[in-house]
Amino acid sequence: MRSYSQNSPEALARLVAMAILADGRLDNREVDWIKHNDTAALLGVDRDTLIQVLLDCCRDVINEAEQERVFLLEDHRLARLADDITDPALRRVALSAMLIIAKTDGSVSEGEQSLLRFLMSRWDISLEDLAAA
């Protein structure tokens, strides 16, 4: 997967893209949510940049899959993406946006739950912390 600068809007957008892909498919309801709500502004990017980062994330996964089987939610991959966000406030923003996106299709899938749990554990953030923020 391509690299982004630490705490960059693109690194935040990629985490949202991972939340969209975590259940193994692109759900139009999640993409529509991004298009019609202020998710991009919350992350500090414009909507086109957020969509581009989502497409780039998909391309990166496809390119990796051409060489070997890809496990999107492997700990080493998630750790690398999580470590791109070091600012505690940005971590809460990312998790909040990801949780909202995960819920837009009516349920939080097992993959989405795994991703959210991993990040919450890695960043030591609880649901109570998110609610308070």
Side-chain angles (χ1 to χ4, degrees), residues 21-34:
L21 299 174
D23 57 6
R25 60 189 167 84
L26 272 171
D27 189 304
N28 286 336
R29 291 172 287 190
E30 294 170 336
V31 175
D32 286 344
W33 177 267
I34 287 172

Side-chain angles (χ1 to χ4, degrees), residues 8 10 13-14 17 23 27 29-30 38 43-44 61 73-74 83 88 93-94 96 99 109 118 120-122 125:
S8 69
E10 292 83 4
R14 181 174 46 202
D23 57 6
D27 189 304
R29 291 172 287 190
E30 294 170 336
D38 216 8
L43 300 173
V61 170
L73 301 177
E74 289 179 310
D83 292 348
V93 166
S96 297
L99 186 57
S109 73
F118 180 91
M120 291 172 77
S121 173
R122 181 124 182 142
I125 297 174

Side-chain angles (χ1 to χ4, degrees), residues 3-5 7-17 43-45 49-50 53 56 84-85:
S3 295
Y4 294 116
S5 300
N7 299 319
S8 69
E10 292 83 4
L12 282 171
R14 181 174 46 202
L15 287 173
V16 170
L43 300 173
V45 299
T49 300
L50 180 54
V53 169
D56 289 343
D84 282 345
I85 308 300

Side-chain angles (χ1 to χ4, degrees), residues 3-132:
S3 295
Y4 294 116
S5 300
Q6 275 191 343
N7 299 319
S8 69
E10 292 83 4
L12 282 171
R14 181 174 46 202
L15 287 173
V16 170
M18 290 294 288
I20 291 171
L21 299 174
D23 57 6
R25 60 189 167 84
L26 272 171
D27 189 304
N28 286 336
R29 291 172 287 190
E30 294 170 336
V31 175
D32 286 344
W33 177 267
I34 287 172
K35 287 181 180 178
H36 301 295
N37 291 282
D38 216 8
T39 307
L42 175 70
L43 300 173
V45 299
D46 59 56
R47 191 184 83 196
D48 291 340
T49 300
L50 180 54
I51 297 298
Q52 185 61 53
V53 169
L54 172 61
L55 293 173
D56 289 343
C57 189
C58 291
R59 284 186 192 104
D60 290 347
V61 170
I62 289 168
N63 288 338
E64 288 178 31
E66 289 176 354
Q67 280 127 49
E68 62 183 286
R69 188 171 179 176
V70 173
F71 297 97
L72 190 61
L73 301 177
E74 289 179 310
D75 284 355
H76 77 279
R77 176 189 311 273
L78 298 181
R80 194 180 124 237
L81 301 182
D83 292 348
D84 282 345
I85 308 300
T86 59
D87 182 294
L90 292 177
R91 289 175 171 177
R92 288 188 299 276
V93 166
L95 280 170
S96 297
M98 293 167 73
L99 186 57
I100 290 167
I101 294 295
K103 294 166 74 175
T104 59
D105 61 2
S107 66
V108 180
S109 73
E110 187 176 316
E112 292 164 337
Q113 290 177 35
S114 295
L115 174 60
L116 291 165
R117 280 191 196 115
F118 180 91
L119 293 173
M120 291 172 77
S121 173
R122 181 124 182 142
W123 292 340
D124 194 28
I125 297 174
S126 68
L127 285 175
E128 293 79 22
D129 294 334
L130 289 178

